[in-house]
Amino acid sequence: MKILITGGDGFFGRGLLPLFEKDGYSIMSCNKNKLNLLNINNIKEILKKYSPDFIIHAAICGKGKTNESKEIFYDNILSLENLINCKEFYKGMIVFGSGAEFNRNNNIKNVLEENSCSMGVPTDSYGLSKYFQSIRIKEYDWITELIIFNCFGEYEDNNKFIKTAIINYINKKSIEIFDDKTFDFFYINDLYQIILKCISESILYRKLNCCYNEKLKISDIANKINNLSTYKVPIEIQQNTNISYTGNCEKINSLNLSFMGLDIGLQNCYHHILKMNE
């Protein structure tokens, strides 16, 4: 099977590529220099040449950014529309949604996949683009949306919480928490298992929250990191707003997949960073 991944330079692209290659898939991972998602003619040219069975649309504009720009909304929506309009060249598509589509002005607690339209329209450009993306892809039974609240893994950027916390722990520095929210973190190897289920056509759902049953505060994650070896470091919490950013797990549990889980994911990231620092 041939898979094309958009956003190849991003975390999802970097993290998924070695997993697919290990399992023998034919993978084309495209960054924005190789595949311009804002240019439909360029998309058609690449898809004609490669003829993928599935597209994993991991390219994201504006994730985690605090600045507001109409380009964030425009680029995310146009990228998706261009890919949809090139359906003749591939079989199906997996799109990464975001908890931001549920409107981050709310307390997003154990939210159901279907609740995005009932929680108000997001006011930030990134959340708004994901909100309209979710509405748009409901029209197509060949697109699956995987909703990500937070995904982590060995190839995570250094400015992300888990990567930063593990690096600080290894260097015996304090683990710093800006806001001690209840937050869903999901290991990228488990996300990969869901993707394999989707492309095997054995999945019944077209929209899935990617999260675990146990709902933990960020300080709980920090305490797990603080137990990865025999020593402890201080955990500093600046504020606690008692806000949640979590999804309901009923649908994902029904897939009966065997996940590695948060603890093993943290251990794998820890050992990967140690190895890279040798």
Side-chain angles (χ1 to χ4, degrees):
M1 183 178 291
K2 299 170 73 174
I3 308 290
L4 185 145
I5 303 175
T6 69
D9 285 345
F11 164 63
F12 291 113
R14 297 193 308 269
L16 293 172
L17 179 62
L19 299 176
F20 275 116
E21 289 181 334
K22 183 179 178 181
D23 285 343
Y25 287 87
S26 175
I27 300 297
M28 183 177 188
S29 182
C30 298
N31 59 27
K32 61 183 178 181
N33 295 322
K34 185 182 294 185
L35 177 61
N36 182 0
L37 292 170
L38 305 181
N39 185 326
I40 195 167
N41 292 324
N42 179 239
I43 296 173
K44 289 179 178 179
E45 179 183 354
I46 295 297
L47 294 181
K48 283 180 182 178
K49 182 177 180 180
Y50 187 64
S51 299
D53 296 295
F54 275 87
I55 292 176
I56 297 176
H57 183 32
I60 301 172
C61 175
K63 185 177 187 301
K65 294 185 177 181
T66 56
N67 62 306
E68 281 302 301
S69 169
K70 292 180 180 178
E71 290 182 0
I72 292 173
F73 177 83
Y74 177 86
D75 289 357
N76 281 332
I77 294 299
L78 182 58
S79 297
L80 177 64
E81 288 300 316
N82 282 342
L83 289 171
I84 288 174
N85 287 319
C86 291
K87 171 59 172 61
E88 62 187 291
F89 302 108
Y90 61 94
K91 183 178 180 180
M93 180 162 58
I94 294 169
V95 174
F96 292 152
S98 169
E101 73 185 52
F102 298 104
N103 189 358
R104 287 180 288 193
N105 293 321
N106 297 315
N107 184 23
I108 301 172
K109 185 175 181 180
N110 295 330
V111 67
L112 294 166
E113 288 87 345
E114 295 80 11
N115 281 1
S116 58
C117 292
S118 65
M119 299 183 69
V121 179
T123 56
D124 63 291
S125 294
Y126 175 73
L128 185 62
S129 69
K130 292 299 180 181
Y131 172 87
F132 279 106
Q133 168 189 283
S134 181
I135 293 173
R136 182 73 171 101
I137 63 181
K138 287 179 182 178
E139 301 177 29
Y140 305 102
D141 61 5
W142 44 271
I143 302 178
T144 299
E145 180 187 7
L146 301 182
I147 302 174
I148 311 295
F149 294 86
N150 194 295
C151 191
F152 74 98
E154 288 84 342
Y155 299 96
E156 189 173 20
D157 293 336
N158 287 350
N159 63 345
K160 300 301 183 181
F161 172 73
I162 285 181
K163 185 76 169 287
T164 301
I166 292 176
I167 290 173
N168 283 2
Y169 178 72
I170 289 172
N171 292 326
K172 298 185 177 179
K173 296 180 179 180
S174 298
I175 297 175
E176 298 178 354
I177 299 171
F178 171 70
D179 190 358
D180 194 18
K181 301 176 181 180
T182 302
F183 215 99
D184 272 332
F185 288 89
F186 201 71
Y187 187 36
I188 195 166
N189 291 51
D190 292 333
L191 178 65
Y192 175 66
Q193 293 302 316
I194 299 172
I195 292 171
L196 292 184
K197 186 83 170 177
C198 292
I199 64 178
S200 71
E201 297 188 78
S202 57
I203 190 168
L204 297 176
Y205 305 114
R206 290 292 165 234
K207 187 170 184 176
L208 276 169
N209 289 331
C210 296
C211 50
Y212 300 122
N213 288 320
E214 187 177 21
K215 304 304 177 185
L216 301 172
K217 301 192 75 169
I218 296 177
S219 57
D220 297 323
I221 310 296
N223 283 321
K224 288 178 179 292
I225 293 171
N226 217 4
N227 284 285
L228 289 171
S229 188
T230 57
Y231 59 89
K232 307 287 185 186
V233 301
I235 297 174
E236 299 177 359
I237 301 173
Q238 294 187 28
Q239 64 181 14
N240 186 341
T241 55
N242 293 319
I243 290 175
S244 294
Y245 190 63
T246 62
N248 180 279
C249 297
E250 183 177 347
K251 285 185 178 180
I252 199 170
N253 288 341
S254 71
L255 301 181
N256 295 316
L257 293 171
S258 181
F259 291 138
M260 292 184 177
L262 179 66
D263 290 344
I264 292 177
L266 292 175
Q267 292 168 19
N268 288 347
C269 291
Y270 170 70
H271 291 297
H272 175 80
I273 295 171
L274 282 177
K275 185 176 180 181
M276 293 297 293
N277 290 338
E278 289 179 352

